[in-house]
Amino acid sequence: MSPAGERPSRESVLDAFAVESEPGRSTLDRYLRLYPEYAGELIDLSRELSREASEDAAPLSVADQALIDAAWSQHTKAVPAAAADPFAALTVDDWRVVARRLELPRQVVTALRERRVFLVSIPRRFLKRLAEVIGSTVAQLESSWGSAQLSAARSYKADGKPTVGEQVSFEQVLIDAGVPAEKRARLLAEAD
């Protein structure tokens, strides 16, 4: 199972127990003595292996199927819908307009679009303005920020697979884009 001197992994122990030729009480006791750290998992596996398989080939009754359908319907209503990406519908031309209206270099809006900016570093006032410009809400922006990946709309040839860059602060993105200090201060201010 493992090299000499090493304790076998939980998976190795459970696999070995599952293929024992006589998985009775004595085998379980032996495994429990040898591997007490996996006692709970071994007992659960032993119970599962000793259960008789139900070979109920009879089809479900109409009433049973209706109960299952009702439960499934209730379950699907309870599952929260995935947050819509407010950036997804914007075209390249739309992003140019966004950059122009926000009076920012395009590399700043690209960093925002690709979520390379820590959300918490973006002032609330700027988020409201960004949401307004792209026709969204601050709540939609915030909910979509954590789950976003690289935009699938971007297409280019590269030697390697594209990856999501490390996130940086909003201020750092502005500095990297060459935004003047006084404009940065105005963008980073929470109040007007």
Side-chain angles (χ1 to χ4, degrees):
M1 285 197 286
S2 296
E6 272 189 45
R7 291 294 286 171
S9 69
R10 179 180 67 85
E11 290 79 20
S12 297
V13 172
L14 294 177
D15 287 344
F17 181 77
V19 297
E20 283 285 338
S21 59
E22 300 203 19
R25 176 70 184 190
S26 61
T27 304
L28 177 60
D29 288 340
R30 180 168 44 90
Y31 272 79
L32 290 174
R33 274 192 316 278
L34 292 171
Y35 310 107
E37 65 269 28
Y38 307 129
E41 291 95 337
L42 284 166
I43 292 169
D44 289 344
L45 181 57
S46 173
R47 286 183 181 151
E48 187 67 30
L49 292 172
S50 66
R51 280 182 39 197
E52 290 185 24
S54 175
E55 296 289 329
D56 188 11
L60 292 174
S61 70
V62 174
D64 289 340
Q65 188 61 49
L67 284 172
I68 292 171
D69 291 343
W72 185 251
S73 174
Q74 191 174 16
H75 170 72
T76 56
K77 288 177 187 172
V79 174
D85 182 0
F87 297 158
L90 298 176
T91 66
V92 172
D93 290 333
D94 293 335
W95 282 109
R96 286 186 188 116
V97 171
V98 169
R100 201 172 317 117
R101 287 191 57 201
L102 294 175
E103 299 173 0
L104 289 172
R106 287 197 28 222
Q107 76 185 68
V108 173
V109 294
T110 298
L112 292 168
R113 178 186 72 208
E114 294 176 353
R115 276 60 160 214
R116 286 186 280 131
V117 180
F118 286 117
L119 179 62
V120 296
S121 72
I122 303 172
R124 193 88 175 147
R125 183 176 66 91
F126 181 83
L127 270 180
K128 287 179 185 175
R129 188 157 173 241
L130 175 62
E132 176 186 308
V133 168
I134 65 169
S136 182
T137 66
V138 173
Q140 286 174 325
L141 283 176
E142 290 174 335
S143 66
S144 72
W145 209 270
S147 62
Q149 298 295 321
L150 276 177
S151 173
R154 294 180 68 182
S155 176
Y156 54 89
K157 289 189 176 190
D159 292 335
K161 184 178 178 182
T163 59
V164 177
E166 190 173 309
Q167 287 187 323
V168 296
S169 71
F170 183 55
E171 182 176 19
Q172 187 60 52
V173 169
L174 294 173
I175 291 169
D176 293 345
V179 175
E182 62 277 354
K183 187 171 185 175
R184 276 197 321 262
R186 195 173 62 243
L187 288 169
L188 293 170
E190 282 294 339
D192 288 324

